[in-house]
């Protein structure tokens, strides 16, 4: 399999287009799976990037939330635009929340959302912002963040979670997509500082 693919003999496969397409799909799968630990959603990270990210993750698992937050922040800055940068910023927020730094966690999660409003971590970022706002007694802002999850990511587990949280906060009626400009650093600072 790999030898034929490496030698460029894919087109010589008997059976025409279907077999050639199947061989190409298999080649893609082999390539994807062979990347192993060096792979990341959104593209491939290098072994060094993955190792740095994993060290920060282990620091968080070991209970050093502040140290992990610093490592994730440094990673995100050093690898801005890389395949793990948004995940590192998300994890920075998790670590900051664990270190009782709600304003720092809110800033990290706002950056996640702002960097990729429809990305895979955006619903989690908005849920986190909603939770922090609710914990700070800012029910209206919590309802807005949670409503944004429901409106943008309808039908997902995150939206279901957001709706449950909205119900427990007795938020007004069904949400609509709020203007993204309403989710700003200043609003987040006001919402989530305890």
């Amino acid at each position: 399999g790999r030898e034929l693919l490496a030698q460029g003999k894919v087109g010589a496969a008997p059976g025409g287009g279907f077999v050639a397409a199947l061989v190409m799909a298999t080649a893609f799968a082999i390539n994807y799976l062979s990347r192993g630990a060096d792979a990341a959603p959104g593209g491939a990270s290098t072994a060094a990037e993955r190792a740095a990210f994993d060290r920060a993750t282990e620091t968080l698992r070991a209970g050093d939330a502040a140290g992990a937050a610093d490592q994730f922040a440094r990673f995100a800055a050093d690898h801005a635009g890389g395949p793990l940068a948004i995940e590192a910023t998300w994890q920075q927020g998790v670590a900051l929340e664990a270190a009782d730094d709600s304003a720092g966690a809110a800033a990290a999660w706002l950056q996640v959302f702002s960097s990729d409003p429809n990305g895979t971590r955006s619903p989690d970022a908005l849920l986190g912002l909603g939770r922090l706002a609710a914990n700070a007694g800012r029910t209206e802002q919590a309802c807005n963040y949670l409503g944004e999850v429901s409106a943008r990511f309808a039908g997902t587990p995150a939206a279901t979670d957001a709706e449950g949280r909205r119900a427990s906060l007795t938020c007004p009626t069904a949400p609509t997509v709020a203007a993204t400009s309403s989710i700003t650093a200043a609003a987040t600072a006001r919402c989530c500082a305890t």
Side-chain angles (χ1 to χ4, degrees):
R2 281 189 183 184
E3 296 80 21
L4 290 175
L5 295 171
Q7 295 169 10
K9 296 184 180 177
V10 173
F18 174 76
V19 173
L22 183 59
V23 170
M24 291 300 288
T26 303
F28 174 79
I30 290 170
N31 180 43
Y32 178 80
L33 293 173
S34 69
R35 290 185 292 172
D38 290 342
S45 62
T46 66
E49 287 173 325
R50 190 73 220 181
F53 186 89
D54 290 346
R55 279 192 301 277
T57 301
E58 285 306 313
T59 300
L60 183 58
R61 284 188 186 137
D64 182 3
D70 289 343
Q71 289 177 8
F72 282 122
R74 196 168 36 257
F75 181 94
D78 290 347
H79 304 287
L84 293 172
I86 288 177
E87 183 65 20
T89 304
W90 160 255
Q91 291 295 342
Q92 177 191 7
V94 170
L96 288 166
E97 183 181 30
D100 293 323
D101 182 354
S102 296
W109 291 336
L110 176 64
Q111 185 176 351
V112 168
F113 177 75
S114 298
S115 296
D116 191 5
N118 296 312
T120 58
R121 275 301 188 184
S122 287
D124 298 326
L126 291 169
L127 283 170
L129 288 166
R131 182 179 60 252
L132 292 173
N135 291 345
R138 310 280 187 172
T139 304
E140 183 180 344
Q141 281 128 350
C143 290
N144 289 338
Y145 288 125
L146 297 170
E148 193 80 16
V149 176
S150 299
R152 284 180 177 272
F153 305 100
T156 66
T160 302
D161 186 11
E163 283 306 305
R165 291 172 192 235
R166 282 177 56 82
S168 71
L169 292 170
T170 61
C171 295
T173 64
T176 60
V177 176
T180 312
S181 62
S182 69
I183 299 178
T184 64
T188 300
R190 285 191 309 275
C191 97
C192 303
T194 53

